Amino acid sequence: MARVTGIGGVFLKARDRAALGAWYRDQLGVPVQEWHGAQFLFRDDPTPHETGYSVWSLFEQGSGYFGPGAQTCMVNFRVDDLHALLAKLRAAGCTVDEKVDESEFGRFGWVTDPEGNRVELWQPPSE
């Protein structure tokens, strides 16, 4: 149907990923792993037999992954049909990155909202 199905992750830039990760681990109990992030597992109502996950992750302060500018946080939305949603966004006149990444982790695309925030769209791999 080409729509968002949930939050895929929240990404933060950090001046010191190790120290900030330790703070989130020690103060909030976030299970930070050596890749500077954590996975939170869940079951979806439409597919209760499958395990889904959301990601929380720290990026280097100078990372260009969030696009140009001073953006320090990026939301990743899970989607059901990345290519159809990107086409829908383009047809609506939205600023959509031409690049699409496809890997064992799924498909990734990006759109910029009207206030200049880069938003990541993620279609998880099929089970």
Side-chain angles (χ1 to χ4, degrees):
M1 180 177 158
R3 65 183 182 87
V4 166
T5 61
I7 300 291
V10 175
F11 309 119
L12 305 172
K13 285 187 180 178
R15 287 185 300 277
D16 183 338
R17 292 191 303 168
L20 189 58
W23 184 89
Y24 275 93
R25 182 193 64 235
D26 298 344
Q27 304 307 318
L28 299 178
V30 174
V32 179
Q33 299 174 25
E34 65 182 50
W35 52 272
H36 304 288
Q39 285 185 323
F40 298 94
L41 304 177
F42 62 87
R43 302 265 184 211
D44 259 338
D45 285 339
T47 56
H49 59 283
E50 297 177 7
T51 300
Y53 63 90
S54 295
V55 173
W56 174 91
S57 185
L58 298 172
F59 282 71
E60 295 282 347
Q61 182 69 32
S63 172
Y65 195 73
F66 296 10
Q71 183 173 334
T72 60
C73 181
M74 182 172 66
V75 175
N76 164 294
F77 287 107
R78 285 182 290 124
V79 302
D80 59 359
D81 186 338
L82 178 65
H83 291 294
L85 183 55
L86 293 176
K88 178 179 167 183
L89 291 166
R90 284 186 184 100
C94 298
T95 303
V96 176
D97 195 322
E98 291 300 318
K99 176 180 148 187
V100 172
D101 281 346
E102 298 194 30
S103 72
E104 69 271 20
F105 303 112
R107 296 178 177 149
F108 297 86
W110 297 268
V111 62
T112 302
D113 76 15
E115 294 195 6
N117 299 300
R118 182 173 165 101
V119 175
E120 187 169 64
L121 305 171
W122 169 52
Q123 182 178 340
S126 300
E127 300 247 347

